[in-house]
Each structure stands twice: as structure tokens, then as C-alpha cells.
Amino acid sequence: MEEKIEKNESYWKKELTPEEYHITREKGTERAFTGKYWDFHGKGLYRCICCGSELFDSETKFESGSGWPSFFTPVDDSKVEEERDSTFGMIRTEVKCSKCGAHLGHVFDDGPKPTGLRYCINSAALKFEEKK
Ligand code: FE
């Protein structure tokens, strides 16, 4: 299990931009095709914008056509937590950072092999780190 970190609202407000705060701490969603990573192809690691936890590897990123960065697996299953989300009249599975609880996006079962999963993640919840 990841060691959890808990910070209050004012801490995150200070650390994050208003958009990052809205998406990660208030379960917001950036508009499709507007984030910095949906059409980004760097080789490296995507970390949680809030706590820096390693979440996704560029090796598992694929072109989903959705307008959000999409991955077929997290770096490790322990890195993310899933929760049922029934807002907006849809049943979806929310994906959160297991370390700090940040809302990342949703996971769908229409992804490519080998997992068949599509982790549809907000760019604003991620921070890319190039592989050295
Ligand atoms: Fe986090």
C-alpha cells in the first residue's frame, strides 16, 4: 500500500494553479483537446501534480482520440484507487491517486491490449518527467 498523505484545502490552494486545484481536489474535468498532454509524445514518467507519486509511463500511453491523455495501465495498480462515480447521469469509474487522493480522471473498458483498459486522465492532474 502507498503511504497516504493528507493536506488541507488551503495547502492545495497554495500549491496548485486554480485549474489544477479544481480538477484534482474538486473532481473537475478539463475540456477535451485543451490539456498539455493529450497530443504530447515525450518519453518518460507522468507524476501526480499534487504529490509527485509516479502514476503512468509514456510506454503505456496511446492515441485514444478522446482529447485526453490515455494510458492502458498505471505504473503499478497500487498507485491508483478506483471508485464508482454516478454523477452526470452516468455510471463511471473514477481514478484517484492512492497517495494523496487527487482526482485524476476515469477508467473505461474500451482500451487496447494487453489490458483492454483506457485510463482517461486530465493533463492538469499530471506532471511529466523526461526519461534521462
Ligand atoms: Fe497524488
Side-chain angles (χ1 to χ4, degrees):
M1 253 327 255
E2 283 285 314
E3 194 185 320
K4 304 247 182 211
I5 64 161
E6 289 209 31
K7 304 283 187 188
N8 63 24
E9 201 177 306
S10 59
Y11 172 87
W12 292 125
K13 275 205 168 131
K14 217 159 42 188
E15 293 294 310
L16 303 169
T17 68
E19 189 199 19
E20 290 163 0
Y21 180 85
H22 174 61
I23 288 169
T24 59
R25 312 315 310 185
E26 300 179 324
K27 303 185 193 297
T29 301
E30 69 199 11
R31 284 190 302 123
F33 305 103
T34 64
K36 56 183 166 185
Y37 296 136
W38 72 272
D39 193 24
F40 175 79
H41 302 94
K43 298 283 176 220
L45 208 56
Y46 292 85
R47 293 180 179 273
C48 176
I49 190 75
C50 295
C51 73
S53 180
E54 304 174 0
L55 299 175
F56 298 97
D57 192 302
S58 61
E59 298 292 316
T60 67
K61 193 173 187 287
F62 67 97
E63 295 303 321
S64 66
S66 68
W68 290 281
S70 302
F71 305 86
F72 60 76
T73 182
V75 164
D76 187 281
D77 284 343
S78 69
K79 299 292 185 184
V80 298
E81 272 175 11
E82 299 182 2
E83 209 166 281
R84 184 185 149 101
D85 173 7
S86 57
T87 57
F88 301 105
M90 295 173 270
I91 306 291
R92 295 178 296 172
T93 304
E94 180 192 359
V95 181
K96 305 198 301 187
C97 171
S98 59
K99 192 165 179 185
C100 75
H103 170 78
L104 304 172
H106 292 86
V107 59
F108 303 92
D109 60 8
D110 57 6
K113 286 176 181 173
T115 61
L117 297 172
R118 170 170 62 98
Y119 287 81
C120 185
I121 305 299
N122 289 286
S123 298
L126 301 172
K127 189 161 119 184
F128 178 75
E129 184 184 282
E130 204 172 338
K131 229 169 242 169
K132 306 258 160 52

